[in-house]
C-alpha cells in the first residue's frame, strides 16, 4: 500500500524487503513458555554463529512449538480459527472504538497500525498494549496478536516521533554497505520492538529497472527500491531483514512476484499488468534468497502477471501462490496479501470474494486496512468451509502457519 501523504521535510506514504544471515524461526526456546518476564520474547533469532555471510541456517520445526500450536488450534471455535487469518488496520495514532470492536467481534488475530503517528515509542506502546488486551482466549490463555506496520523508510514510515529514527528511503539505504544497513536496521527494529510491535511489512524486494525509474508508480516513484539490479536488491533486502531478525522483529518480503515492472499502483489503479516477469526472471532472486534465508512472511501483490497466470490477479492465483511461491520456491511461512480491503485493484470483487479467493489460491493472512470489510470476509470464509472440504483443509493449514508464526514470536503460550 502506498497512497502518499505529504508532510514537512518530505512526504510519507499512507501505508507501506542476498540474505545476510537471516534466520526467522525460534526453535525449542519459542512459544510455549511465553515471553520472559518483563520483556518481549524475540520474534526471531539471530543467525547461528559460524553461518557464512549471505547464508542462514535453514528453517527447522520446533517440536514444542508444534505441540503448542496443535493444542491451541484444537481448542478454537471455527470463528476463532478464521479470525486468525485476518489482519485488520487501525489508526496508529488513535484507533477508533468502532474498528476495535469489529476486530474483537470477529476474533481478528493480527493488527496493522496505519496512517501516520508522531507519538513516539512510549505512547505507541501504550496503544499497542491496549489493543492486545482484546486478543482471544483459548484454554484460559490469550492467543497473542501479531502487531505490524509499514516501516520501510522514506515516504513509507508510519511510526515517528521520540524514540523512532527518521529512516531514509530504500534507494538511499541501497547505497550503504550491507554491514551498515544491517546494523542500522537492527536499531530500527529495536525501536519497533520497544513500541510493542512484532512485524514490519518490509523490506521491498521489488526490482525496478533504471529505465523505468520513477515512472513505476508503486515503487520507483517513492524510491522504495534498494536499487535497480537484482544483485543490489537481493543483498540489501537481505541485510535489512537480517538486521530486524537480530533484534527479534519479523519481516515481510514484498510484493511477490514483484511490482518493479508495472506502471500503475494497485492501491489506486485497476488493471495493473506486468507483461514481462516470468517464473525464471532474475527479478525474483531477492525473493528466492530471502526465502532460502528463512523469511517468515511474504506479501503477494495484486497485479496480474500475464506470463505467469494471465487469468488471475496474483493475489487470487494458485499458480503464483501454490505453484511458484510454495512449491517452486519452497516457502513454508505465512503468505500475506497486500491490502485487499480498499485497494482499487480488487474493487471489482466483493470483500467476500476477495477473502475466499485469496485463501483458495493458497494464501494465509488477509490484510485489510478497512475493518468494515471484516464481517463479510469472515462470514464468507466460514460459509465456504461448511460446504467445501478442500477449502477447509487449506484454512486449517493456514491457521497452523499463522499460529506457528505467533509461537515463534513469543505470542503463543501453552503453559
Amino acid at each position: 500500500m502506498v497512497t502518499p501523504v505529504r508532510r514537512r521535510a518530505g512526504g510519507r506514504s499512507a501505508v507501506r524487503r542476498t540474505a545476510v544471515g537471516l534466520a526467522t524461526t525460534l526453535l525449542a526456546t519459542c512459544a510455549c513458555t511465553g515471553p520472559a518476564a518483563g520483556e518481549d520474547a524475540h520474534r526471531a533469532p539471530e543467525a547461528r554463529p559460524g553461518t557464512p555471510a549471505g547464508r542462514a541456517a535453514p528453517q527447522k520445526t520446533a517440536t514444542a512449538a508444534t505441540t503448542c500450536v496443535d493444542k491451541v488450534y484444537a481448542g478454537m471455535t471455527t470463528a476463532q480459527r478464521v479470525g486468525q487469518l485476518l489482519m485488520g488496520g487501525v489508526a496508529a495514532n488513535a484507533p477508533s472504538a468502532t474498528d476495535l470492536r469489529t476486530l474483537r467481534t470477529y476474533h481478528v488475530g493480527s493488527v496493522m497500525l496505519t496512517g501516520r503517528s508522531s507519538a513516539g515509542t512510549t505512547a505507541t506502546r501504550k496503544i499497542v498494549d491496549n489493543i492486545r488486551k482484546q486478543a482471544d482466549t483459548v484454554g484460559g490463555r490469550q492467543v497473542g496478536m501479531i502487531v505490524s506496520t509499514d516501516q520501510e523508510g522514506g515516504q513509507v514510515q508510519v511510526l515517528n516521533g521520540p524514540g523512532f529514527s527518521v529512516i531514509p528511503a530504500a534507494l538511499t539505504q541501497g547505497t550503504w554497505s550491507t554491514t551498515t544497513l544491517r546494523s542500522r536496521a537492527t536499531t530500527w527494529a529495536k525501536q519497533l520492538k520497544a513500541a510493542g510491535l512484532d512485524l514490519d511489512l518490509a523490506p521491498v524486494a521489488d526490482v525496478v529497472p533504471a529505465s523505468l525509474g520513477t515512472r513505476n508508480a508503486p515503487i520507483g516513484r517513492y524510491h522504495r527500491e534498494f536499487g535497480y539490479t537484482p544483485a543490489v536488491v537481493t543483498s540489501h533486502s537481505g541485510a535489512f531483514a537480517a538486521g530486524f531478525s537480530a533484534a527479534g522483529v519479523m519481516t515481510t518480503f514484498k510484493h511477490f512476484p514483484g511490482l518493479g515492472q508495472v506502471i500503475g499502483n494497485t492501491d489506486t489503479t485497476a488493471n495493473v499488468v506486468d507483461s514481462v516477469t516470468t517464473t525464471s526472471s532474475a527479478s525474483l532472486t531477492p525473493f528466492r534468497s530471502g526465502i532460502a534465508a528463512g523469511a517468515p512472511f511474504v506479501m503477494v501483490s495484486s497485479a496480474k502477471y500475464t506470463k505467469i497466470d494471465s487469468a488471475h490477479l496474483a493475489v487470487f492465483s494458485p499458480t503464483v501462490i501454490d505453484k511458484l511461491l510454495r512449491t517452486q520456491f519452497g516457502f513454508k511461512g505465512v503468505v500475506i496479501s497486500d491490502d485487499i480491503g480498499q485497494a482499487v485493484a480488487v474493487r471489482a470483487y466483493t470483500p467476500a470474494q476477495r477473502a475466499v479467493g485469496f485463501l483458495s489460491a493458497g494464501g494465509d493472512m488477509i490484510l485489510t486496512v478497512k475493518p468494515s470489510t471484516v464481517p463479510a470476509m469472515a462470514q464468507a470464509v466460514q460459509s465456504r468451509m461448511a460446504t467445501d472440504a478442500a477449502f477447509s483443509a487449506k484454512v486449517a493449514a493456514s491457521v497452523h502457519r499463522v499460529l506457528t508464526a505467533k509461537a515463534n514470536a513469543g505470542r503463543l503460550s501453552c503453559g
Side-chain angles (χ1 to χ4, degrees):
M1 296 163 291
V2 37
T3 305
V5 172
R6 299 301 176 189
R7 69 177 190 107
R8 291 173 297 169
R12 297 280 194 206
S13 154
V15 275
R16 307 259 137 357
R17 292 158 198 299
T18 118
V20 185
L22 168 65
T24 56
T25 53
L26 282 175
L27 304 177
T29 59
C30 80
C32 295
T33 57
E39 69 177 77
D40 286 339
H42 276 198
R43 318 305 187 243
E46 297 186 34
R48 192 165 51 192
T51 301
R55 293 178 180 268
Q59 287 186 336
K60 297 181 180 180
T61 300
T63 302
T66 301
T67 302
C68 181
V69 165
D70 289 341
K71 182 177 181 180
V72 172
Y73 179 86
M76 286 180 155
T77 66
T78 298
Q80 287 177 320
R81 291 170 181 172
V82 171
Q84 292 300 306
L85 305 184
L86 290 160
M87 176 180 282
V90 297
N93 57 350
S96 80
T98 299
D99 288 344
L100 290 176
R101 184 166 53 250
T102 297
L103 301 187
R104 183 171 60 251
T105 298
Y106 289 91
H107 310 282
V108 172
S110 298
V111 170
M112 177 187 179
L113 302 183
T114 65
R116 282 296 173 272
S117 171
S118 58
T121 55
T122 301
T124 301
R125 180 58 179 259
K126 291 179 181 178
I127 291 171
V128 170
D129 286 348
N130 282 330
I131 292 172
R132 290 192 184 281
K133 291 177 182 177
Q134 68 177 43
D136 262 10
T137 298
V138 174
R141 292 180 177 271
Q142 273 198 329
V143 180
M145 291 184 168
I146 289 176
V147 180
S148 71
T149 197
D150 270 330
Q151 200 82 341
E152 299 173 16
Q155 297 189 55
V156 186
Q157 182 175 342
V158 171
L159 301 178
N160 302 275
F164 288 112
S165 299
V166 176
I167 305 174
L171 198 58
T172 297
Q173 296 174 36
T175 66
W176 302 341
S177 71
T178 53
T179 300
T180 296
L181 177 54
R182 175 172 177 161
S183 175
R184 294 185 185 179
T186 299
T187 297
W188 304 332
K190 288 178 178 178
Q191 294 166 356
L192 284 184
K193 189 174 181 181
L197 278 78
D198 309 289
L199 173 67
D200 190 7
L201 300 178
V204 167
D206 307 314
V207 181
V208 180
S211 59
L212 193 55
T214 56
R215 291 189 297 121
N216 172 259
I219 310 300
R221 179 179 178 184
Y222 303 107
H223 297 165
R224 300 171 69 198
E225 70 275 40
F226 287 104
Y228 299 116
T229 66
V232 171
V233 175
T234 297
S235 61
H236 286 70
S237 60
F240 183 102
F244 271 70
S245 177
V249 178
M250 297 182 293
T251 51
T252 307
F253 280 70
K254 65 185 187 185
H255 310 78
F256 189 83
L259 285 174
Q261 294 282 357
V262 304
I263 299 296
N265 178 354
T266 55
D267 290 328
T268 58
T269 309
N271 303 315
V272 176
V273 175
D274 176 332
S275 58
V276 175
T277 302
T278 69
T279 58
S280 59
S281 290
S283 60
L284 292 174
T285 303
F287 294 102
R288 187 188 296 274
S289 181
I291 290 166
F297 282 72
V298 170
M299 178 181 286
V300 177
S301 97
S302 296
K304 180 177 288 186
Y305 298 80
T306 57
K307 291 190 175 180
I308 299 176
D309 181 355
S310 62
H312 303 92
L313 303 183
V315 73
F316 305 136
S317 170
T319 301
V320 169
I321 300 176
D322 265 345
K323 185 176 180 180
L324 181 58
L325 182 54
R326 290 284 188 210
T327 303
Q328 188 170 323
F329 280 30
F331 181 59
K332 306 299 183 186
V334 176
V335 177
I336 184 171
S337 72
D338 201 345
D339 170 50
I340 55 174
Q342 67 179 15
V344 174
V346 296
R347 196 166 286 176
Y349 303 87
T350 66
Q353 290 171 328
R354 298 170 205 169
V356 171
F358 175 62
L359 296 177
S360 295
D364 300 311
M365 185 175 284
I366 301 158
L367 172 59
T368 172
V369 300
K370 191 175 180 181
S372 62
T373 63
V374 164
M377 289 178 168
Q379 291 164 5
V381 173
Q382 289 192 61
S383 294
R384 178 60 67 89
M385 290 174 67
T387 59
D388 187 334
F391 180 79
S392 292
K394 282 180 174 288
V395 167
S398 291
V399 176
H400 275 78
R401 279 189 283 264
V402 171
L403 291 178
T404 298
K406 290 187 174 188
N408 293 336
R411 295 298 179 190
L412 201 64
S413 173
C414 292

